[in-house]
Amino acid sequence: MAAVKKDSVDIVIVGFGWTGSLMAMELASSGLKIVALERGENRDTYPDFAYPRIADELTYGIRLKLFQNAAKETVTIRHKTSETALPYRRFGSFLPGDGVGGAGTHWNGQLWRPLEADLKMRSTVIEKYGASFIPEGMTVQDYPFSYEELEPFFDKFEKICGASGKAGNINGEKIAGGNPFESPRKNDYPTRPLQTLYAGDLFAQAAQKLGYHPFQCPAANCTESWTNPYNVQLGVCNYCGYCERFGCFNYSKGSPQSCVIPALRQHSNFELRTQSHVIRVNTDSSGKKATGVTYIDAQGNEIEQPAALVVLSAFQLHNVRLLLLSNIGKPYNPMTGEGVVGRNYAYQMTGGIKLFFDKDTYFNPFAATGATTTMIDDFNAENFDHSKLGFVGGATISAAFSGGRPIQQMGIPKDAPRWGSGWKQAIKDNYLHTMNVGSSGSVMPYRQCYLDLDPTYKDIYGQPLLRMTFDWQQNELKMTNFIKDRAEEIVKTINPKTYEVAFKTLNSHYDVRPYQSTHTTGGAVMGDNPSTSVVNKYLQSWDVPNLFVTGACCFPQNLAYNPTGIVCATTLFAAEAIRTRYLASPGPLVQA
């Protein structure tokens, strides 16, 4: 049966999370006809996230209501090319979002700007330690822009979220109480920092004794009355403990629903279609011009949506898969090192220590946000000397509470019973008296870590699943063991009754079962050279100039920080280039 062909529009946006909603909002003032296609269901603060229905851990935290249905589409995973990849049947390691808002609905809200060294990692390492310091097979590369170019767009996104925090560096002047390692910024955060929890106080005191520099994590949690640049008024965070895996009922956690969609609804030239699963980007006979997309609607009909401009704004994995399914860009070949689509896949390296205290020490974990975190940046990126350490990259170390939910956030000792009266007693003895010190580390890209289409497994529409070939490499395992020792020094200084260390060893392999983060990156990386990147600095495809690709798929490597700040700043950067340059003269914005 032939596809139903819709009337042509000016712009079609695939995926309606942070980047899709921002792109639509930034381009809506052009008056052009914009259609956004979201494969999941429509969701909004009311009624979908209304209290108390949203505070349902079984539905949202365990049964993953806001996430992709692995029975319909998943990824296959293997450690190396000699293995057969198998389907990821139950999401654990990472949690791709689904529905309006995407991952921007359920995220914790840690809102970071990159360090200048993060953006110029390859050239910085070579300058400081020499080219031989980069391990064989590591394909680290610089971002194609400077921090200064992106600074106004980081500032704009922080204002869109009503972000909370304390600046550590305004125009080169170091500010007490902020992150002394951050790159210069023009303005402080829009709203004051989140409250410091008792666990954060203990962590800060211990870190300072060791000569480190603790500060409060910047967050997309609004802490004061705030009206953002889109004239949307945000609520004040009430520390309910239901950020991660949940939508915000209070209009105070930065999300498309809280910050963008209310303003976007005012534009009559914008249309959102949900339950519209895009299966490919269509191109003309030359393969150099996108003509629109084809999608499956809620009734199972195949629909063709012609468009003059196509923007891929889905989750990192989905953008890469769509490029491969659409034969746009040369697929990466790990044997030859040639090709770009699927290249430089990376994840994130985490570790943690659980601290147990006597019953006269109370932490009240339920009074938290997803980003109530006190941390240090002393061992992140190039903030410390690597010359004698033998690895590239680094990590943050923090004391964090994201809530005290009754199922997933029960901190009990590893030797405690897992059911019955003994389990209940362990919860009673430890729930209020436990804190954590954790790390979030960067992961570099490697020639042998990549994404391609699986030759065996297909989704419900008969299309090949995305195949992930990935394992931990010695560089990151060395890094996390170094960070473990630094974290344990802080824990010993805090001096709990007992503690349990959970960091990967030098023999660890990537395990899909435990949740680690949803910070997957790469596969459609940005760069200055078409032979090592899929898109240019404006996120424009080198091969198909009327196609733009947003999100963490464009990261050349993974940072220690959460990715949302760069994801959204680069989207705003690209949207301005489209609005002010591309629409007036369609074509390549950067010459290859």
Side-chain angles (χ1 to χ4, degrees), residues 18-217:
W18 264 128
T19 66
S21 61
L22 287 172
M23 187 66 76
M25 185 65 200
E26 290 292 307
L27 299 181
S29 61
S30 67
L32 298 175
K33 177 62 178 175
I34 303 170
V35 169
L37 302 171
E38 167 56 50
R39 69 181 188 176
E41 63 185 55
N42 197 9
R43 297 193 182 103
D44 207 348
T45 304
Y46 184 85
D48 301 279
F49 309 148
Y51 187 84
R53 66 181 290 177
I54 192 63
D56 178 351
E57 189 179 9
L58 184 61
T59 296
Y60 294 94
I62 306 302
R63 294 176 178 165
L64 308 179
K65 182 175 174 61
L66 300 182
F67 301 95
Q68 181 179 324
N69 185 342
K72 295 181 178 180
E73 182 194 326
T74 183
V75 296
T76 66
I77 298 178
R78 60 183 180 176
H79 286 148
K80 52 189 177 182
T81 56
S82 61
E83 298 175 349
T84 299
L86 297 173
Y88 186 19
R89 299 289 192 186
R90 169 71 179 177
F91 287 122
S93 174
F94 51 85
L95 301 170
D98 188 67
V100 168
T105 298
H106 68 75
W107 71 311
N108 269 344
Q110 290 195 17
L111 183 55
W112 295 98
R113 298 181 177 199
L115 302 165
E116 290 176 282
D118 285 325
L119 299 182
K120 301 298 178 184
M121 182 60 71
R122 181 177 179 82
S123 57
T124 300
V125 169
I126 291 175
E127 179 183 345
K128 293 180 73 171
Y129 312 115
S132 62
F133 195 81
I134 298 175
E136 183 179 357
M138 181 187 286
T139 53
V140 59
Q141 61 192 62
D142 291 347
Y143 282 74
F145 41 65
S146 67
Y147 172 84
E148 289 75 15
E149 285 180 277
L150 265 290
E151 201 282 335
F153 302 94
F154 291 121
D155 183 77
K156 181 173 182 176
F157 184 61
E158 289 164 0
K159 288 181 168 66
I160 289 170
C161 292
S164 59
K166 174 67 175 177
N169 184 342
I170 297 181
N171 296 319
E173 179 183 351
K174 297 298 179 71
I175 310 296
N179 179 5
F181 298 98
E182 75 172 348
S183 298
R185 48 192 299 129
K186 300 296 184 185
N187 301 297
D188 206 338
Y189 288 91
T191 64
R192 60 177 175 263
L194 289 166
Q195 294 291 324
T196 303
L197 303 183
Y198 182 49
D201 287 336
L202 293 181
F203 177 88
Q205 292 164 14
Q208 286 174 328
K209 284 182 182 179
L210 294 167
Y212 304 143
H213 305 83
F215 61 96
Q216 281 299 100
C217 178

Side-chain angles (χ1 to χ4, degrees), residues 182-413:
E182 75 172 348
S183 298
R185 48 192 299 129
K186 300 296 184 185
N187 301 297
D188 206 338
Y189 288 91
T191 64
R192 60 177 175 263
L194 289 166
Q195 294 291 324
T196 303
L197 303 183
Y198 182 49
D201 287 336
L202 293 181
F203 177 88
Q205 292 164 14
Q208 286 174 328
K209 284 182 182 179
L210 294 167
Y212 304 143
H213 305 83
F215 61 96
Q216 281 299 100
C217 178
N221 296 95
C222 190
T223 59
E224 303 174 59
S225 297
W226 180 258
T227 300
N228 77 9
Y230 298 145
N231 204 32
V232 177
Q233 186 174 357
L234 304 180
V236 177
C237 179
N238 66 356
Y239 301 81
C240 73
Y242 284 83
C243 277
E244 62 176 24
R245 307 189 183 212
F246 302 86
C248 180
F249 66 84
N250 206 45
Y251 297 88
S252 51
K253 182 179 75 172
S255 71
Q257 285 89 346
S258 297
C259 303
V260 184
I261 295 174
L264 188 55
R265 287 199 193 100
Q266 310 307 312
H267 292 272
S268 60
N269 57 318
F270 170 76
E271 178 188 355
L272 170 63
R273 298 178 199 157
T274 57
Q275 296 182 309
S276 300
H277 183 102
V278 175
I279 58 175
R280 64 179 169 273
V281 177
N282 302 319
T283 56
D284 65 6
S285 58
S286 71
K288 300 298 181 182
K289 180 181 179 180
T291 59
V293 301
T294 297
Y295 67 93
I296 307 295
D297 70 8
Q299 289 73 43
N301 301 310
E302 191 168 302
I303 310 294
E304 182 182 345
Q305 178 57 69
L309 177 65
V310 178
V311 180
L312 297 187
S313 293
F315 186 68
Q316 174 265 334
L317 297 169
H318 308 326
N319 280 347
V320 178
R321 182 170 181 250
L322 273 173
L323 290 171
L324 292 167
L325 291 172
S326 307
N327 296 312
I328 295 174
K330 185 177 181 179
Y332 175 67
N333 184 334
M335 303 305 158
T336 64
E338 297 177 346
V340 289
V341 182
R343 179 178 178 270
N344 279 34
Y345 174 76
Y347 187 36
Q348 204 162 41
M349 176 67 75
T350 60
I353 304 176
K354 192 178 296 183
L355 290 68
F356 300 95
F357 293 79
D358 290 320
K359 292 183 180 181
D360 58 352
T361 302
Y362 287 84
F363 293 108
N364 296 334
F366 46 83
T369 79
T372 38
T373 303
T374 303
M375 56 206 318
I376 62 170
D377 226 11
D378 296 69
F379 301 105
N380 186 16
E382 281 300 320
N383 295 342
F384 61 110
D385 184 10
H386 291 65
S387 57
K388 297 180 180 179
L389 300 176
F391 62 81
V392 175
T396 62
I397 303 175
S398 63
F401 270 120
S402 60
R405 301 193 308 270
I407 302 174
Q408 289 182 312
Q409 295 183 316
M410 291 294 175
I412 60 175

